[in-house]
Amino acid sequence: NAGVTQTPKFRVLKTGQSMTLLCAQDMNHEYMYWYRQDPGMGLRLIHYSVGEGTTAKGEVPDGYNVSRLKKQNFLLGLESAAPSQTSVYFCASSSPLGGGETQYFGPGTRLLVL
Amino acid sequence: AQSVTQLGSHVSVSEGALVLLRCNYSSSVPPYLFWYVQYPNQGLQLLLKYTSAATLVKGINGFEAEFKKSETSFHLTKPSAHMSDAAEYFCAVSVSGTASKLTFGTGTRLQVTL
């Protein structure tokens, strides 16, 4: 049982390049989330999904797109990377229980945009 | 919308001393409250959570937190700090009906000295 895994662990991009971050979970969770973590700002929600084929915007969605074609996978895309997107990206998942669900986090992807 | 304020971005304690990390929340509806811990270069791990049952919540590694509605607080404590407690701690809030989206505080880095 691997929990939540993220690919890649680290990536360097040039401004304007594109990339996709992959999140996979093996806990059969309905809900999945993408956060970014920046120094002094905690974690901020980028996009989330409440089920296969559905996505919704979080607090800081601009410059990102997501897709949830399979229940176990949640992809985060950067179409044209900018230096402001240099951050650590975390994926999380949870199972709906009517409130107060625990989110389980992946190990993170460190992204540097030059 | 809900929010979380963590007082003190850095806290330093001696090994064996009391750990107190402060968290205040704002929410117009009953909140669910969480404390997560992040060790260097790792993802977030749940320490404990409040889900409207007992107001004193016990978590892993000897940590506990008390929900005080009148003070809108959810402070994290541990009677005796250990070197292995050095990490960053995040308080977070969610409310019912929002797909368990978490709003995080900015984090408190705990340093434990000999």
Side-chain angles (χ1 to χ4, degrees):
Chain A
N1 191 338
V4 180
T5 57
Q6 293 183 231
T7 309
K9 289 183 170 56
F10 178 70
R11 183 77 183 268
V12 179
L13 287 180
K14 294 181 180 179
T15 297
Q17 288 185 319
S18 64
M19 79 164 294
T20 300
L21 283 67
L22 171 63
C23 175
Q25 54 95 3
D26 62 2
M27 296 174 282
N28 201 35
H29 285 167
E30 288 292 332
Y31 296 166
M32 296 187 74
Y33 314 84
W34 276 108
Y35 295 90
R36 59 177 289 173
Q37 182 180 25
D38 301 293
M41 302 189 74
L43 280 77
R44 293 178 293 168
L45 183 65
I46 305 171
H47 286 280
Y48 65 100
S49 167
V50 298
E52 183 178 320
T54 72
T55 62
K57 294 179 180 180
E59 181 185 353
V60 288
D62 293 344
Y64 304 96
N65 56 74
V66 287
S67 64
R68 183 119 181 251
L69 300 180
K70 294 183 179 180
K71 185 177 182 179
Q72 64 269 33
N73 295 338
F74 195 28
L75 279 63
L76 177 71
L78 287 72
E79 289 187 349
S80 179
S84 60
Q85 295 178 303
T86 292
S87 188
V88 182
Y89 293 85
F90 287 99
C91 177
S93 69
S94 70
S95 188
L97 296 172
E101 293 87 355
T102 298
Q103 289 189 19
Y104 296 86
F105 285 78
T109 293
R110 194 171 297 271
L111 176 64
L112 175 61
V113 182
L114 301 175
Chain B
Q2 54 274 12
S3 66
V4 167
T5 301
Q6 291 184 243
L7 293 175
S9 58
H10 288 84
V11 170
S12 182
V13 300
S14 300
E15 190 173 36
L18 171 71
V19 175
L20 171 61
L21 304 182
R22 300 179 185 275
C23 173
N24 288 90
Y25 70 91
S26 173
S27 177
S28 58
V29 297
Y32 300 105
L33 293 160
F34 304 77
W35 276 100
Y36 280 86
V37 60
Q38 184 181 32
Y39 298 103
N41 299 313
Q42 294 187 26
L44 278 70
Q45 177 184 4
L46 181 72
L47 268 180
L48 49 81
K49 66 179 180 180
Y50 166 75
T51 58
S52 75
T55 56
L56 181 62
V57 182
K58 295 186 185 298
I60 61 172
N61 301 338
F63 284 93
E64 64 180 38
E66 186 171 8
F67 173 71
K68 292 188 176 180
K69 184 178 179 180
S70 61
E71 299 177 8
T72 61
S73 69
F74 191 57
H75 301 331
L76 182 70
T77 61
K78 182 175 180 178
S80 177
H82 192 273
M83 295 296 289
S84 60
D85 295 326
E88 189 151 23
Y89 293 79
F90 292 95
C91 184
V93 62
S94 70
V95 298
S96 182
T98 60
S100 301
K101 291 183 293 180
L102 290 172
T103 299
F104 284 89
T106 52
T108 297
R109 185 167 297 279
L110 176 66
Q111 181 183 19
V112 183
T113 59
L114 288 172

